[in-house]
Amino acid sequence: MRENTAGKWFHASVHAILLLAAVSCLIPLINIIAVSFSDSAAIDSGFVWLWPIHFNLEAYKTLFIGSRVIPSFMNSLYITVIGTGLSLLCTTLAAYALSRKYCYGRKFMTLAMVFTMMFSGGLIPFFLLIKSFGLINTYWSLWLPGLVGAYNLLLMRSYFEGIPAEIEESARIDGCGEWRLLVQIFLPLSMPVVATICLFLAVGYWNSFLNVLIFINDAEKMNLTVFVQQMVQSQSMLIQTIALQPEDLENMSPEAVKAGGIVIMTLPMLIVYPLLQKYFVKGVMLGAIKG
């Protein structure tokens, strides 16, 4: 069926708007990267825009040699890997149980999970709850509260419910139990939604900021997000964070160091997202058709 003129103009307008939105998101990122690789004189004069001027690596040398960027990066990596693995495991088990029609009380538990998406106890009760469990200054204060997210649970449950019942019946006839059914049948068929939820969880844990500030008191346990925030907050905090003297900044722009920290913080997600992009849209759309 051929598209009429109005339809063509509509699609052209939509594509133009999406292109402008994409460019508006890319330009600040490209500018930050350019600043991180530019000379201090070019940065201070305001000449740097989308391409580095007088290319140098002094900002990154300062970050990797004279600061805690590597320990903070490893803390973020530890929080993300362990937290994503635990959350994905618990979400998968809960979603599989709630997707089975013979699960007793599954409607009540589903409604209880939906209720948490609309109402919360507030920050102070949340802090008192974590403190009562003795989780202050431990990474469990970051992992345990978000072990099973309501949205992720509903998404995966809907995907499991969309798997044809004939596949399950055939597996059970062959003597397949619950664990084997989940591991060898459901999970291989659900890779799009698993990859999508894995991406959601990884981005959330990697960008953890408020919970780290509230629950983690030891500077040695701070993640990369908090480290970069402390650098960006003020120049005095920058000097303290990277352990430099004020005169050391004469030959290096503080803006380049800040930009370098932001690049280091965003780079892992920029690498991971394209690898999972092919599953992303498929996992969200198929999981949202039913339920």
Side-chain angles (χ1 to χ4, degrees):
M1 183 176 179
R2 298 184 62 182
E3 189 177 24
N4 56 27
T5 304
K8 291 181 180 178
W9 277 105
F10 173 77
H11 286 97
S13 302
V14 171
H15 292 160
I17 294 173
L18 292 177
L19 179 62
L20 289 175
V23 171
S24 65
C25 294
L26 284 175
I27 287 178
L29 178 61
I30 296 174
N31 176 255
I32 289 292
I33 296 174
V35 169
S36 68
F37 287 106
S38 296
D39 181 72
S40 59
I43 296 173
D44 295 336
S45 60
F47 291 151
V48 181
W49 191 44
L50 298 180
W51 191 258
I53 298 179
H54 301 149
F55 183 88
N56 73 79
L57 300 173
E58 290 300 323
Y60 292 97
K61 291 180 181 178
T62 301
L63 284 170
F64 283 109
I65 297 176
S67 73
R68 285 189 44 81
V69 67
I70 295 180
S72 299
F73 182 91
M74 297 306 297
N75 290 340
S76 291
L77 188 63
Y78 180 72
I79 292 171
T80 302
V81 171
I82 302 298
T84 301
L86 290 175
S87 296
L88 190 61
L89 174 63
C90 294
T91 302
T92 301
L93 295 177
Y96 176 76
L98 294 179
S99 66
R100 305 298 89 199
K101 295 182 179 179
Y102 48 81
C103 177
Y104 180 77
R106 74 188 192 106
K107 291 185 178 180
F108 172 77
M109 287 185 283
T110 302
L111 290 176
M113 293 295 295
V114 174
F115 182 84
T116 63
M117 299 176 67
M118 298 180 287
F119 303 96
S120 64
L123 183 59
I124 295 177
F126 181 43
F127 175 81
L128 295 176
L129 178 65
I130 297 299
K131 184 178 180 181
S132 65
F133 282 117
L135 301 178
I136 298 297
N137 206 32
T138 68
Y139 289 144
W140 283 104
S141 61
L142 309 178
W143 297 331
L144 195 59
L147 210 55
V148 179
Y151 176 78
N152 295 334
L153 174 65
L154 296 177
L155 188 66
M156 185 171 285
R157 190 207 66 166
S158 298
Y159 201 99
F160 284 163
E161 289 178 344
I163 295 177
E166 292 79 8
I167 297 178
E168 179 181 355
E169 293 173 358
S170 300
R172 292 192 182 278
I173 291 174
D174 292 335
C176 189
E178 295 293 345
W179 286 103
R180 189 175 179 185
L181 183 66
L182 172 62
V183 175
Q184 296 188 358
I185 304 298
F186 275 71
L187 286 182
L189 294 174
S190 305
M191 286 308 299
V193 73
V194 171
T196 300
I197 292 176
C198 182
L199 180 62
F200 287 163
L201 294 171
V203 171
Y205 280 114
W206 182 264
N207 294 328
S208 296
F209 175 72
L210 183 60
N211 286 351
V212 176
L213 286 180
I214 295 174
F215 300 126
I216 304 298
N217 302 324
D218 189 357
E220 301 292 327
K221 295 182 178 180
M222 293 294 181
N223 62 350
L224 188 60
T225 306
V226 175
F227 173 80
V228 173
Q229 186 272 339
Q230 291 175 347
M231 288 197 311
V232 175
Q233 186 175 7
S234 64
Q235 182 162 326
S236 60
M237 184 66 69
L238 171 66
I239 297 173
Q240 180 181 355
T241 302
I242 63 179
L244 291 177
Q245 299 299 322
E247 57 270 15
D248 295 332
L249 294 174
E250 294 179 359
N251 298 323
M252 177 183 57
S253 174
E255 298 302 321
V257 180
K258 296 176 184 179
I262 295 173
V263 171
I264 295 172
M265 185 182 68
T266 56
L267 186 61
M269 292 298 104
L270 293 177
I271 295 174
V272 170
Y273 184 80
L275 300 177
L276 300 178
Q277 184 181 13
K278 62 180 180 179
Y279 298 110
F280 186 75
V281 176
K282 185 178 179 182
V284 173
M285 294 303 295
L286 292 180
I289 291 176
K290 183 179 179 182

